[in-house]
Amino acid sequence: MSEEVTYADLKFQDSSKIEHMQKFDQVGVKAPPAPSHGWHKRDLALVLLCLLLMTALGVLGGMFHLTSKREMGKFKKLQNFKEELQRNVSLQLMYNMDIFKKIRNISITLQELATKLCYELYRKEPEHKCKPCPKEWMWHEDSCYKLFKNYDTWQNSDMTCSAHNASLLKIKNKSTLEFIKSQELYNYWLGLSPRKGQTDYKNLDESLTSFDWFTRNTSDLSDGTYCGYIINIKYVHYVSCTYKKYSVCEKLANPVKIESTLMNEEPDGRMYS
């Protein structure tokens, strides 16, 4: 009897616990809350913001494309302008070079004409101011010549010429040969290289082909050294370099000054053109 009561009590207690637990589940445990309307608004705002950003990026991309296209067009124009400018500069340089050549040719022609005119004036007046040689020097082609009448050794005569920035006469072309013949020189040292021994007389015409014109130092000449001189108008002979002869010196003429051929002096000293 007591066992049945106990079982009934336990059963009742168990059922009470189960009912209590069911009630706790229904009342005590809270269900998750329903989604709020605020979250929906935030999601919508984010979507709209993304759309705005994408739109802005599209607009910026379009603007960048248009700007790049416009700047590229400007760059091409500048490139074309640069190329055109380079072509113009090249043409100008070619034109300037052509003008320079023409001016140079004109200058050369004027110089030649001035030289010819000055030479004609020199023939009439040996000391004309246009003469490109120092006073008392003779002018022939591009050289100046002077005859020294003092007798001296070959070495001293060479030093005399050097003191005048000149050298003893060397005959190296036919024009100079004919000019020297016209001077009818006699007993004049020549700028021939000293040698060890005498030679036979040689014709002056041979000077263009067979003569050894002086190029060496003469500081150590001795009595056994022989030097050449014009013995008369046509012949050359070698004698001891210590003998004394006349000397004829030559040096390069200065360019003829164009203005000096266009100006002259009247007898009273006034200038006229």
Side-chain angles (χ1 to χ4, degrees), residues 209-230:
T209 57
S210 63
F211 282 26
D212 181 20
W213 296 106
F214 169 70
T215 57
R216 298 185 298 274
N217 185 14
T218 61
S219 59
D220 57 350
L221 292 181
S222 62
D223 293 339
T225 306
Y226 294 83
C227 296
Y229 72 103
I230 298 178

PDB file of all heavy atoms in Angstrom, residues 209-230:
ATOM      1  N   THR A 209     114.788  72.191-110.244  1.00  0.00           N
ATOM      2  CA  THR A 209     114.770  70.731-110.207  1.00  0.00           C
ATOM      3  C   THR A 209     115.894  70.101-109.398  1.00  0.00           C
ATOM      4  O   THR A 209     115.682  69.097-108.718  1.00  0.00           O
ATOM      5  CB  THR A 209     114.832  70.167-111.638  1.00  0.00           C
ATOM      6  OG1 THR A 209     116.005  70.684-112.288  1.00  0.00           O
ATOM      7  CG2 THR A 209     113.593  70.590-112.431  1.00  0.00           C
ATOM      8  N   SER A 210     117.093  70.676-109.434  1.00  0.00           N
ATOM      9  CA  SER A 210     118.243  69.948-108.879  1.00  0.00           C
ATOM     10  C   SER A 210     118.892  70.620-107.682  1.00  0.00           C
ATOM     11  O   SER A 210     119.811  70.049-107.099  1.00  0.00           O
ATOM     12  CB  SER A 210     119.298  69.760-109.988  1.00  0.00           C
ATOM     13  OG  SER A 210     119.770  71.037-110.427  1.00  0.00           O
ATOM     14  N   PHE A 211     118.422  71.782-107.266  1.00  0.00           N
ATOM     15  CA  PHE A 211     119.096  72.479-106.177  1.00  0.00           C
ATOM     16  C   PHE A 211     118.543  72.035-104.820  1.00  0.00           C
ATOM     17  O   PHE A 211     117.357  71.763-104.666  1.00  0.00           O
ATOM     18  CB  PHE A 211     118.936  73.994-106.321  1.00  0.00           C
ATOM     19  CG  PHE A 211     119.862  74.592-107.348  1.00  0.00           C
ATOM     20  CD1 PHE A 211     120.350  73.838-108.400  1.00  0.00           C
ATOM     21  CD2 PHE A 211     120.262  75.910-107.254  1.00  0.00           C
ATOM     22  CE1 PHE A 211     121.195  74.379-109.353  1.00  0.00           C
ATOM     23  CE2 PHE A 211     121.107  76.469-108.197  1.00  0.00           C
ATOM     24  CZ  PHE A 211     121.584  75.705-109.260  1.00  0.00           C
ATOM     25  N   ASP A 212     119.459  72.002-103.845  1.00  0.00           N
ATOM     26  CA  ASP A 212     119.102  71.629-102.471  1.00  0.00           C
ATOM     27  C   ASP A 212     118.932  72.911-101.651  1.00  0.00           C
ATOM     28  O   ASP A 212     119.899  73.477-101.152  1.00  0.00           O
ATOM     29  CB  ASP A 212     120.201  70.745-101.876  1.00  0.00           C
ATOM     30  CG  ASP A 212     119.874  70.309-100.450  1.00  0.00           C
ATOM     31  OD1 ASP A 212     118.681  70.355-100.075  1.00  0.00           O
ATOM     32  OD2 ASP A 212     120.805  69.928 -99.720  1.00  0.00           O
ATOM     33  N   TRP A 213     117.672  73.341-101.510  1.00  0.00           N
ATOM     34  CA  TRP A 213     117.429  74.605-100.825  1.00  0.00           C
ATOM     35  C   TRP A 213     117.556  74.438 -99.329  1.00  0.00           C
ATOM     36  O   TRP A 213     117.166  73.436 -98.764  1.00  0.00           O
ATOM     37  CB  TRP A 213     116.065  75.175-101.206  1.00  0.00           C
ATOM     38  CG  TRP A 213     116.010  75.528-102.660  1.00  0.00           C
ATOM     39  CD1 TRP A 213     115.366  74.857-103.643  1.00  0.00           C
ATOM     40  CD2 TRP A 213     116.671  76.627-103.297  1.00  0.00           C
ATOM     41  NE1 TRP A 213     115.570  75.462-104.856  1.00  0.00           N
ATOM     42  CE2 TRP A 213     116.367  76.556-104.674  1.00  0.00           C
ATOM     43  CE3 TRP A 213     117.505  77.663-102.843  1.00  0.00           C
ATOM     44  CZ2 TRP A 213     116.845  77.467-105.593  1.00  0.00           C
ATOM     45  CZ3 TRP A 213     117.985  78.577-103.759  1.00  0.00           C
ATOM     46  CH2 TRP A 213     117.657  78.480-105.119  1.00  0.00           C
ATOM     47  N   PHE A 214     118.071  75.451 -98.687  1.00  0.00           N
ATOM     48  CA  PHE A 214     118.443  75.400 -97.279  1.00  0.00           C
ATOM     49  C   PHE A 214     117.251  75.174 -96.352  1.00  0.00           C
ATOM     50  O   PHE A 214     116.235  75.847 -96.444  1.00  0.00           O
ATOM     51  CB  PHE A 214     119.149  76.701 -96.901  1.00  0.00           C
ATOM     52  CG  PHE A 214     119.341  76.859 -95.418  1.00  0.00           C
ATOM     53  CD1 PHE A 214     120.231  76.053 -94.743  1.00  0.00           C
ATOM     54  CD2 PHE A 214     118.623  77.808 -94.701  1.00  0.00           C
ATOM     55  CE1 PHE A 214     120.415  76.196 -93.377  1.00  0.00           C
ATOM     56  CE2 PHE A 214     118.795  77.949 -93.344  1.00  0.00           C
ATOM     57  CZ  PHE A 214     119.697  77.144 -92.682  1.00  0.00           C
ATOM     58  N   THR A 215     117.417  74.219 -95.432  1.00  0.00           N
ATOM     59  CA  THR A 215     116.405  73.970 -94.398  1.00  0.00           C
ATOM     60  C   THR A 215     117.037  73.697 -93.044  1.00  0.00           C
ATOM     61  O   THR A 215     116.328  73.551 -92.058  1.00  0.00           O
ATOM     62  CB  THR A 215     115.530  72.749 -94.765  1.00  0.00           C
ATOM     63  OG1 THR A 215     116.379  71.606 -94.954  1.00  0.00           O
ATOM     64  CG2 THR A 215     114.724  72.994 -96.034  1.00  0.00           C
ATOM     65  N   ARG A 216     118.368  73.608 -92.955  1.00  0.00           N
ATOM     66  CA  ARG A 216     119.032  73.185 -91.720  1.00  0.00           C
ATOM     67  C   ARG A 216     119.644  74.363 -90.953  1.00  0.00           C
ATOM     68  O   ARG A 216     119.778  75.463 -91.480  1.00  0.00           O
ATOM     69  CB  ARG A 216     120.129  72.160 -92.047  1.00  0.00           C
ATOM     70  CG  ARG A 216     119.589  70.885 -92.690  1.00  0.00           C
ATOM     71  CD  ARG A 216     120.708  69.860 -92.868  1.00  0.00           C
ATOM     72  NE  ARG A 216     121.750  70.342 -93.748  1.00  0.00           N
ATOM     73  CZ  ARG A 216     121.718  70.221 -95.072  1.00  0.00           C
ATOM     74  NH1 ARG A 216     120.679  69.654 -95.656  1.00  0.00           N
ATOM     75  NH2 ARG A 216     122.717  70.665 -95.814  1.00  0.00           N
ATOM     76  N   ASN A 217     120.063  74.070 -89.729  1.00  0.00           N
ATOM     77  CA  ASN A 217     120.722  75.064 -88.888  1.00  0.00           C
ATOM     78  C   ASN A 217     122.148  75.362 -89.405  1.00  0.00           C
ATOM     79  O   ASN A 217     122.852  74.465 -89.849  1.00  0.00           O
ATOM     80  CB  ASN A 217     120.786  74.543 -87.445  1.00  0.00           C
ATOM     81  CG  ASN A 217     121.340  75.578 -86.492  1.00  0.00           C
ATOM     82  OD1 ASN A 217     121.431  76.758 -86.831  1.00  0.00           O
ATOM     83  ND2 ASN A 217     121.693  75.134 -85.303  1.00  0.00           N
ATOM     84  N   THR A 218     122.578  76.636 -89.335  1.00  0.00           N
ATOM     85  CA  THR A 218     123.891  77.017 -89.862  1.00  0.00           C
ATOM     86  C   THR A 218     124.826  77.538 -88.768  1.00  0.00           C
ATOM     87  O   THR A 218     125.769  78.253 -89.036  1.00  0.00           O
ATOM     88  CB  THR A 218     123.725  78.122 -90.921  1.00  0.00           C
ATOM     89  OG1 THR A 218     123.115  79.269 -90.292  1.00  0.00           O
ATOM     90  CG2 THR A 218     122.869  77.656 -92.069  1.00  0.00           C
ATOM     91  N   SER A 219     124.563  77.167 -87.532  1.00  0.00           N
ATOM     92  CA  SER A 219     125.356  77.715 -86.428  1.00  0.00           C
ATOM     93  C   SER A 219     126.757  77.103 -86.346  1.00  0.00           C
ATOM     94  O   SER A 219     127.620  77.625 -85.653  1.00  0.00           O
ATOM     95  CB  SER A 219     124.625  77.480 -85.095  1.00  0.00           C
ATOM     96  OG  SER A 219     124.419  76.087 -84.886  1.00  0.00           O
ATOM     97  N   ASP A 220     127.000  75.999 -87.052  1.00  0.00           N
ATOM     98  CA  ASP A 220     128.298  75.324 -86.942  1.00  0.00           C
ATOM     99  C   ASP A 220     129.054  75.303 -88.271  1.00  0.00           C
ATOM    100  O   ASP A 220     129.810  74.358 -88.550  1.00  0.00           O
ATOM    101  CB  ASP A 220     128.097  73.892 -86.433  1.00  0.00           C
ATOM    102  CG  ASP A 220     127.161  73.088 -87.326  1.00  0.00           C
ATOM    103  OD1 ASP A 220     126.530  73.693 -88.207  1.00  0.00           O
ATOM    104  OD2 ASP A 220     127.081  71.860 -87.129  1.00  0.00           O
ATOM    105  N   LEU A 221     128.899  76.326 -89.113  1.00  0.00           N
ATOM    106  CA  LEU A 221     129.603  76.355 -90.390  1.00  0.00           C
ATOM    107  C   LEU A 221     131.103  76.527 -90.166  1.00  0.00           C
ATOM    108  O   LEU A 221     131.546  77.311 -89.318  1.00  0.00           O
ATOM    109  CB  LEU A 221     129.080  77.503 -91.251  1.00  0.00           C
ATOM    110  CG  LEU A 221     127.632  77.356 -91.771  1.00  0.00           C
ATOM    111  CD1 LEU A 221     127.270  78.551 -92.618  1.00  0.00           C
ATOM    112  CD2 LEU A 221     127.466  76.070 -92.553  1.00  0.00           C
ATOM    113  N   SER A 222     131.892  75.817 -90.940  1.00  0.00           N
ATOM    114  CA  SER A 222     133.356  75.900 -90.834  1.00  0.00           C
ATOM    115  C   SER A 222     133.946  76.363 -92.160  1.00  0.00           C
ATOM    116  O   SER A 222     133.230  76.536 -93.152  1.00  0.00           O
ATOM    117  CB  SER A 222     133.927  74.521 -90.447  1.00  0.00           C
ATOM    118  OG  SER A 222     133.618  73.567 -91.460  1.00  0.00           O
ATOM    119  N   ASP A 223     135.259  76.544 -92.169  1.00  0.00           N
ATOM    120  CA  ASP A 223     135.920  77.014 -93.392  1.00  0.00           C
ATOM    121  C   ASP A 223     135.800  76.012 -94.531  1.00  0.00           C
ATOM    122  O   ASP A 223     135.896  76.372 -95.696  1.00  0.00           O
ATOM    123  CB  ASP A 223     137.398  77.295 -93.105  1.00  0.00           C
ATOM    124  CG  ASP A 223     137.583  78.480 -92.167  1.00  0.00           C
ATOM    125  OD1 ASP A 223     136.641  79.276 -92.077  1.00  0.00           O
ATOM    126  OD2 ASP A 223     138.661  78.583 -91.538  1.00  0.00           O
ATOM    127  N   GLY A 224     135.589  74.748 -94.203  1.00  0.00           N
ATOM    128  CA  GLY A 224     135.494  73.730 -95.246  1.00  0.00           C
ATOM    129  C   GLY A 224     134.103  73.577 -95.819  1.00  0.00           C
ATOM    130  O   GLY A 224     133.839  72.625 -96.554  1.00  0.00           O
ATOM    131  N   THR A 225     133.213  74.488 -95.486  1.00  0.00           N
ATOM    132  CA  THR A 225     131.833  74.414 -95.970  1.00  0.00           C
ATOM    133  C   THR A 225     131.640  75.407 -97.109  1.00  0.00           C
ATOM    134  O   THR A 225     132.125  76.540 -97.046  1.00  0.00           O
ATOM    135  CB  THR A 225     130.841  74.731 -94.830  1.00  0.00           C
ATOM    136  OG1 THR A 225     131.112  73.865 -93.724  1.00  0.00           O
ATOM    137  CG2 THR A 225     129.412  74.515 -95.287  1.00  0.00           C
ATOM    138  N   TYR A 226     130.887  74.975 -98.131  1.00  0.00           N
ATOM    139  CA  TYR A 226     130.692  75.814 -99.314  1.00  0.00           C
ATOM    140  C   TYR A 226     129.220  76.189 -99.454  1.00  0.00           C
ATOM    141  O   TYR A 226     128.324  75.368 -99.232  1.00  0.00           O
ATOM    142  CB  TYR A 226     131.184  75.082-100.559  1.00  0.00           C
ATOM    143  CG  TYR A 226     132.677  74.858-100.560  1.00  0.00           C
ATOM    144  CD1 TYR A 226     133.219  73.759 -99.877  1.00  0.00           C
ATOM    145  CD2 TYR A 226     133.531  75.735-101.208  1.00  0.00           C
ATOM    146  CE1 TYR A 226     134.593  73.555 -99.849  1.00  0.00           C
ATOM    147  CE2 TYR A 226     134.915  75.529-101.188  1.00  0.00           C
ATOM    148  CZ  TYR A 226     135.436  74.442-100.504  1.00  0.00           C
ATOM    149  OH  TYR A 226     136.791  74.234-100.472  1.00  0.00           O
ATOM    150  N   CYS A 227     129.003  77.446 -99.863  1.00  0.00           N
ATOM    151  CA  CYS A 227     127.640  77.968-100.006  1.00  0.00           C
ATOM    152  C   CYS A 227     127.451  78.483-101.430  1.00  0.00           C
ATOM    153  O   CYS A 227     128.394  78.947-102.081  1.00  0.00           O
ATOM    154  CB  CYS A 227     127.381  79.092 -98.997  1.00  0.00           C
ATOM    155  SG  CYS A 227     127.440  78.549 -97.263  1.00  0.00           S
ATOM    156  N   GLY A 228     126.201  78.443-101.887  1.00  0.00           N
ATOM    157  CA  GLY A 228     125.906  78.827-103.260  1.00  0.00           C
ATOM    158  C   GLY A 228     125.514  80.293-103.384  1.00  0.00           C
ATOM    159  O   GLY A 228     124.888  80.871-102.496  1.00  0.00           O
ATOM    160  N   TYR A 229     125.870  80.870-104.530  1.00  0.00           N
ATOM    161  CA  TYR A 229     125.497  82.265-104.803  1.00  0.00           C
ATOM    162  C   TYR A 229     125.326  82.439-106.312  1.00  0.00           C
ATOM    163  O   TYR A 229     125.792  81.607-107.115  1.00  0.00           O
ATOM    164  CB  TYR A 229     126.565  83.223-104.272  1.00  0.00           C
ATOM    165  CG  TYR A 229     127.851  83.233-105.069  1.00  0.00           C
ATOM    166  CD1 TYR A 229     128.136  84.262-105.962  1.00  0.00           C
ATOM    167  CD2 TYR A 229     128.792  82.200-104.922  1.00  0.00           C
ATOM    168  CE1 TYR A 229     129.322  84.269-106.687  1.00  0.00           C
ATOM    169  CE2 TYR A 229     129.972  82.208-105.637  1.00  0.00           C
ATOM    170  CZ  TYR A 229     130.236  83.242-106.528  1.00  0.00           C
ATOM    171  OH  TYR A 229     131.401  83.245-107.247  1.00  0.00           O
ATOM    172  N   ILE A 230     124.627  83.505-106.699  1.00  0.00           N
ATOM    173  CA  ILE A 230     124.459  83.829-108.115  1.00  0.00           C
ATOM    174  C   ILE A 230     125.721  84.561-108.571  1.00  0.00           C
ATOM    175  O   ILE A 230     125.986  85.696-108.145  1.00  0.00           O
ATOM    176  CB  ILE A 230     123.222  84.712-108.337  1.00  0.00           C
ATOM    177  CG1 ILE A 230     121.958  83.971-107.892  1.00  0.00           C
ATOM    178  CG2 ILE A 230     123.093  85.104-109.808  1.00  0.00           C
ATOM    179  CD1 ILE A 230     120.693  84.790-108.022  1.00  0.00           C
TER     180      ILE A 230
END
